[in-house]
Amino acid sequence: RKPNLAVVGATGAVGTVMLGLLSSREDVWGEIRLIASPRSAGRRLTVRGEEVEVVALSEEAFDGIDVAMFDAPDEVSAQWAPIAAAKGVVVVDNSGAFRMDPDVPLVVPEVNAPAARFRPRGIIANPNCTTLTMMCGLAALHAEYGLRELVVASYQAASGAGQSGVDALRDQLKQVAGTGVGEQTCDLRAVITDNGPFPAPLALNAVPWAGSAAADGWSSEELKVRNESRKILGLPDLKVSATCVRIPVITAHSLAVHAVFEREVSQEHAQDILREAPGVVLYDNPAAGEFPTPNDVVGTDPTWVGRVRRSLDDPNALDLFLCGDNLRKGAALNTAQIAELVAAELGG
Ligand code: 2RA
């Protein structure tokens, strides 16, 4: 029989994209059960062309389920993923609750699919969307050149902060439209009274902060980029410095990456590697105006790479720009791909 799937957090920003993916990808699932907070229970959502009633999160909600995807806040996953796993459900979790647990694999199917089979806790973690946006491209380059160091600047979309981030940015854009604010004066803070989940106005701005405060001035998002890249690539000593910045884009994260390798690189060979890399599209002809922008890649599955250059000062280093839909490959799609690996393993 085909395995039964539960989607926990079905009504959120990622959950909504997930239902679209489940309706368009090859259907490997028996029942698809939609689970959300008691507040959303009773809503009817469409998946695979059928209306399904959302049920409230409870232990019984996992009865008969084989695989559960969690798109829920960290504390919800931390509490409920082990409860589901104790019932024999394989959990694919998209929160930050388990990513660095040594007994929980952190999986990008194009990069480390076999890791998904070692899951002593019955939980597989999905990486953070910022890390995910660069993993397929960098893993392919690492396989050829041996990665030594990453210096990363992110340009993150509002939807990375969930629906409240999208709503806040849309409201702010309405508030500043046609006001002339930002042209000669820096009075955004006077016009925008509600920053939403961001620490400063996002419309017409760039905010060098994502996540919560960690030690020594780093943000949690910057540490995720470092720690998760190390774990996924199996490089515990990889040097990683990240600066995470939120920009007024609704969906699709971008990263400017300076990558230093063990061996000498060439621009053309690196482009060939990226052209062939699974999950990657090379779009790199600046003379013709061809490079990825967030707007170009929204709604697409791969991560897009352009602006590939060999460093002028280091023959072992590349500079490149990557863009990916943070709600698809950055979240729902990668989660769905992991769940499909499990479904195949279970014989679905
Ligand atoms: C963000 N990476 O963009 C986070 C979401 N998981 O805020």
Side-chain angles (χ1 to χ4, degrees):
R1 77 174 170 86
K2 288 182 170 183
N4 295 329
L5 175 71
V7 181
V8 180
T11 56
V14 174
T16 303
V17 174
M18 183 64 84
L19 300 193
L21 284 171
L22 290 170
S23 305
S24 59
R25 292 177 68 78
E26 189 189 339
D27 188 11
V28 301
W29 303 109
E31 181 191 351
I32 296 183
R33 194 173 302 166
L34 306 184
I35 300 177
S37 64
R39 191 166 33 93
S40 300
R43 277 179 64 183
R44 298 184 73 80
L45 300 175
T46 302
V47 60
R48 298 185 298 191
E50 286 170 19
E51 275 203 356
V52 177
E53 186 170 321
V54 176
V55 299
L57 182 57
S58 69
E59 195 172 334
E60 299 70 52
F62 296 102
D63 286 349
I65 292 297
D66 301 290
V67 180
M69 301 165 167
F70 276 64
D71 284 305
D74 290 2
E75 62 281 7
V76 175
S77 284
Q79 181 185 349
W80 287 94
I83 293 172
K87 297 187 80 162
V89 176
V90 179
V91 173
V92 185
D93 181 48
N94 189 32
S95 83
F98 301 101
R99 288 181 186 139
M100 298 316 296
D101 184 325
D103 287 330
V104 174
L106 184 61
V107 175
V108 182
E110 293 87 343
V111 177
N112 63 345
R117 287 177 175 262
F118 175 76
R119 44 172 195 264
R121 297 191 63 182
I123 301 170
I124 303 168
N126 191 65
N128 177 42
C129 46
T130 311
T131 313
L132 262 171
T133 302
M134 63 180 185
M135 269 307 105
C136 291
L138 290 181
L141 293 169
H142 167 58
E144 181 72 9
Y145 297 127
L147 196 55
R148 238 178 45 205
E149 183 173 356
L150 292 172
V151 181
V152 176
S154 74
Y155 304 78
Q156 295 181 219
S159 58
Q163 193 57 44
S164 66
V166 174
D167 294 343
L169 177 56
R170 287 199 190 283
D171 285 348
Q172 293 179 13
L173 289 171
K174 273 187 217 141
Q175 285 169 43
V176 297
T179 62
V181 68
E183 278 167 30
Q184 293 180 11
T185 54
C186 293
D187 47 4
L188 267 181
R189 286 176 198 262
V191 175
I192 292 172
T193 47
D194 183 1
N195 292 335
F198 311 115
L202 187 58
L204 304 180
N205 213 0
V207 180
W209 190 261
S212 54
D216 301 321
W218 294 96
S219 73
S220 59
E221 187 82 353
E222 290 158 353
L223 298 189
K224 285 178 189 178
V225 170
R226 178 171 184 259
N227 295 334
E228 295 179 19
S229 298
R230 289 173 157 195
K231 182 167 176 178
I232 295 161
L233 295 170
L235 294 171
D237 299 320
L238 182 68
K239 292 183 187 175
V240 184
S241 282
T243 302
C244 289
V245 182
R246 193 79 63 181
I247 59 164
V249 157
I250 300 284
T251 299
H253 284 358
S254 307
L255 292 104
V257 175
H258 177 80
V260 183
F261 298 92
E262 303 287 348
R263 291 178 279 286
E264 188 167 336
V265 300
S266 89
Q267 180 190 35
E268 213 172 299
H269 186 45
Q271 287 168 324
D272 286 343
I273 292 165
L274 291 165
R275 204 175 278 116
E276 298 301 319
V280 174
V281 172
L282 180 77
Y283 188 54
D284 191 15
N285 185 1
E290 292 178 0
F291 35 70
T293 71
N295 181 62
D296 297 322
V297 313
V298 179
T300 70
D301 285 351
T303 44
W304 296 64
V305 187
R307 304 296 326 279
V308 179
R309 291 147 288 156
R310 188 166 94 153
S311 166
L312 294 175
D313 300 308
D314 182 351
N316 287 23
L318 288 168
D319 287 273
L320 55 157
F321 189 75
L322 305 102
C323 287
D325 186 321
N326 54 304
L327 301 178
R328 288 177 83 89
K329 185 59 183 171
L333 173 62
N334 201 70
T335 304
Q337 288 174 300
I338 296 171
E340 287 163 6
L341 287 178
V342 178
E345 186 191 317
L346 298 179

